[in-house]
Amino acid sequence: MSPGASILHADLDAFYASVEQRDDPRLRGRPVIVGGGVVLAASYEAKARGVRSAMGGQQARRLCPDAIVVPPRMSAYTAASRAVFEIFRQTTPLVEGLSIDEAFLDVGGLGRLVGPPAEIAERLRREVSDRVHLPITVGVARTKFLAKVASGVAKPDGLLVVAPDAELAFLHPLPVERLWGVGPVTAAKLRERRIRTVGEVARLGEAALVSLLGAGTGRHLHALAHNRDPRAVQVGRRRGSMGAQHALSRTPHASTELDAILAGLVDRVSRRMRAAGRSGRTVVLRLRFGDYTRATRSHTVGKATADTTPLLAAARALLRTALPEIDRRGVTLIGVSVGNLDDNPVQPELPFQPDPGSSLDAAVDAVRDRFGSAALTRAVLLGREPGVEMPLLPD
């Protein structure tokens, strides 16, 4: 890693909503919500009124009655993302994509060729604006962690460079929520102890943090509070998990409906895994309850697989155990992911016998690849809204 502030975190601002405002001049300067039942994205005009991603549509419209609600156009977002990532790769070969709208770039070796990192970052912002017509914020720092924090502070449509000799002066006054891994639960634990800023976390000491939050989280936050993050920008790293999710209204949902949604999600995830030549072992069920708190349940299967049947069986078992809690608290989102992915061929178990499940998956994939995802579906999904399939970076 270069010793200076040479890592860029580039993050497109309110990405989906910005694409809509770019493509429809009538939306510019007005509050825009992408997605109706659940907010997929909100323009900064809508965010200023309290609208946030993943918020229920009814709540969003109460906060911002004059918002313009538009349906998502995933193909437009994918095209915009590809154009922006092309600019990233023209800037430096060291690009690590995090999602379709953000990436880390290492420009430490480009000083003699194209100038210092701050100039490279400003040129990058100008290129994205001129060629793709979208606002983008860039943070520049010595570590990946601090570059991402800097971009968050600089939003929207900004640039912030954190010099190495000013790192802790910049970081320590920020609220604890700026630390990676600090969600509502961890933040509440810290605030109960009157620990509200990153600097107060740093002064607490590692032993006290471990005692309060556990070994892993305590050591992690202690390191970040001192800006210790040795990770380099990684090029070509394949994702460690694949997943999909489905947002739900706050109304009650029957277990049969949840099971049908779960089956559709597993179909989508397993198909992506097979297309990428990946297999995995750990099935994770993600839930967001009626009060918008979240929970995860996981199960590791006996062998790595990309077959739909064993992955769906594991996911259904996790859902069954969660149904009592869902009945009490309600559910507004179901997600499924498969982790511990690898690229190795799956070794058949002895005795070697044909696997009808694999053959069926291959036949269904072939039909959907040729005629579209909706050409063949499960009977339980007929007439149901399949949910939005979010665009993703190539694996």
Side-chain angles (χ1 to χ4, degrees):
M1 182 182 296
S2 302
S6 59
I7 293 179
L8 278 56
H9 179 257
D11 193 1
L12 289 157
D13 300 321
F15 178 45
Y16 294 175
S18 293
V19 172
E20 298 299 336
Q21 290 177 317
R22 178 197 69 178
D23 294 348
D24 186 348
R26 296 172 299 177
L27 302 179
R28 295 172 190 170
R30 303 182 67 182
V32 175
I33 294 174
V34 179
V38 175
V39 176
L40 298 179
S43 69
Y44 276 90
E45 295 84 357
K47 289 182 177 182
R49 310 274 284 276
V51 179
R52 296 290 181 268
S53 297
M55 180 180 286
Q58 291 184 351
Q59 181 184 2
R61 285 187 287 274
R62 284 195 299 270
L63 292 170
C64 190
D66 57 333
I68 302 171
V69 180
V70 299
R73 298 181 301 131
M74 296 306 174
S75 59
Y77 311 146
T78 299
S81 171
R82 288 173 178 167
V84 171
F85 268 79
E86 181 61 27
I87 296 173
F88 290 166
R89 286 187 285 269
Q90 290 172 358
T91 301
T92 174
L94 301 178
V95 177
E96 179 184 339
L98 300 180
S99 65
I100 68 165
D101 59 351
E102 64 174 320
F104 287 116
L105 296 81
D106 189 335
V107 298
L110 303 179
R112 293 185 178 180
L113 295 174
V114 293
E119 291 183 10
I120 296 172
E122 186 53 58
R123 190 179 307 118
L124 171 67
R125 295 182 65 245
R126 190 165 56 247
E127 287 285 307
V128 171
S129 177
D130 292 346
R131 291 165 53 181
V132 194
H133 310 293
L134 290 174
I136 190 168
T137 296
V138 180
V140 186
R142 186 177 54 86
T143 65
K144 290 167 73 172
F145 160 67
L146 202 60
K148 186 173 175 68
V149 172
S151 70
V153 171
K155 280 185 169 294
D157 197 17
L159 169 63
L160 178 59
V161 180
V162 182
D165 59 357
E167 291 174 347
L168 298 186
F170 163 73
L171 179 61
H172 281 181
L174 297 177
V176 293
E177 287 82 358
R178 290 288 184 181
L179 293 171
W180 280 355
V182 175
V185 174
T186 302
K189 288 182 179 179
L190 292 171
R191 289 181 180 276
E192 285 175 1
R193 301 292 184 94
R194 298 184 179 180
I195 301 167
R196 296 179 174 86
T197 68
V198 176
E200 289 169 342
V201 172
R203 290 190 290 273
L204 188 62
E206 183 174 343
L209 282 169
V210 167
S211 175
L212 177 62
L213 303 173
T217 301
R219 293 181 184 130
H220 168 73
L221 295 187
H222 184 263
L224 293 185
H226 291 85
N227 193 33
R228 292 198 293 267
D229 179 13
R231 298 169 305 152
V233 173
Q234 297 185 30
V235 180
R237 183 181 65 175
R238 305 192 79 182
R239 59 173 54 92
S241 66
M242 291 188 181
Q245 61 187 30
H246 185 109
L248 299 162
S249 66
R250 292 174 62 89
T251 57
H253 300 277
S255 59
T256 53
E257 178 187 3
L258 300 180
D259 181 79
I261 292 170
L262 186 73
L265 293 174
V266 173
D267 280 347
R268 188 186 303 175
V269 172
S270 59
R271 181 186 177 196
R272 282 177 49 212
M273 291 171 61
R274 292 188 292 271
R278 312 293 300 276
S279 57
R281 294 188 60 194
T282 302
V283 179
V284 180
L285 175 71
R286 304 184 187 279
L287 301 170
R288 188 179 66 207
F289 297 111
D291 57 2
Y292 291 98
T293 59
R294 296 174 181 266
T296 60
R297 308 283 188 271
S298 65
H299 174 75
T300 299
V301 298
K303 66 169 185 173
T305 182
D307 293 350
T308 301
T309 299
L311 296 176
L312 179 56
R316 278 175 163 159
L318 293 171
L319 179 61
R320 283 195 298 271
T321 63
L323 283 176
E325 192 169 9
I326 291 173
D327 290 339
R328 291 194 307 272
R329 304 175 62 185
V331 64
T332 58
L333 180 140
I334 292 181
V336 174
S337 64
V338 180
N340 288 333
L341 297 183
D342 60 47
D343 308 315
N344 300 320
V346 177
Q347 173 65 46
E349 293 180 340
L350 291 170
F352 299 126
Q353 294 179 346
D355 184 352
S358 298
S359 300
L360 176 60
D361 285 338
V364 170
D365 289 347
V367 171
R368 289 172 170 165
D369 289 343
R370 182 170 182 181
F371 299 106
S373 298
L376 190 62
T377 190
R378 293 174 179 268
V380 294
L381 294 174
L382 289 173
R384 295 183 185 274
E385 174 59 44
V388 177
E389 188 165 356
M390 309 298 283
L392 300 165
L393 286 173
D395 182 54

